[in-house]
C-alpha cells in the first residue's frame, strides 16, 4: 500500500463503531498468527481455504454479536 492509501484507510475507519474495530483487530491478530504458524510448520493452505479468508460466499450480517438461541422464539 502507498502512504496515501494507508492514510485514506485510517480516515475511513475512524467512522466505524469501536466494537467493529475491536473485532477486526482480533481477526487480524488471528490471521497473522495463522500465517506465522503455517510458515513455521511448512503448511500451505489450498486455494479454497485462501478464498474463504476473503469472505467470498459468506453471509453478511449487520450484527457484531451472534444471536443467543435461548432468547429467540421457536417456530414449533
Amino acid at each position: 500500500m502507498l502512504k496515501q492509501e494507508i492514510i485514506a484507510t485510517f480516515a475511513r475507519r475512524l467512522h466505524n463503531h469501536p466494537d467493529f474495530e475491536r473485532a477486526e483487530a482480533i481477526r487480524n491478530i488471528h490471521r497473522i498468527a495463522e500465517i506465522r504458524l503455517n510458515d513455521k510448520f511448512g503448511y500451505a493452505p489450498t486455494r479454497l481455504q485462501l478464498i474463504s479468508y476473503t469472505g467470498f460466499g459468506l453471509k453478511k450480517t449487520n450484527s457484531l454479536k451472534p444471536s443467543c438461541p435461548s432468547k429467540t422464539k421457536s417456530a414449533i
Side-chain angles (χ1 to χ4, degrees):
M1 287 179 109
L2 299 174
K3 181 179 178 179
Q4 296 85 0
E5 292 173 317
I6 294 170
I7 292 171
T9 301
F10 282 149
R12 179 181 45 82
R13 290 180 68 180
L14 283 174
H15 303 290
N16 289 343
H17 192 276
D19 289 341
F20 175 82
E21 286 299 321
R22 190 174 295 110
E24 181 68 11
I26 291 170
R27 188 188 70 77
N28 287 328
I29 290 167
H30 289 161
R31 183 67 180 118
I32 291 166
E34 182 178 28
I35 290 168
R36 288 181 178 177
L37 287 169
N38 287 346
D39 286 346
K40 182 172 181 74
F41 294 107
Y43 176 74
T46 65
R47 185 170 183 209
L48 179 60
Q49 290 167 325
L50 292 174
I51 291 171
S52 69
Y53 292 132
T54 63
F56 291 117
L58 299 178
K59 181 180 176 184
K60 277 188 137 182
T61 175
N62 292 332
S63 174
L64 295 175
K65 297 179 182 175
S67 62
C68 180
S70 63
K71 293 184 180 180
T72 59
K73 292 184 179 182
S74 176
I76 299 176

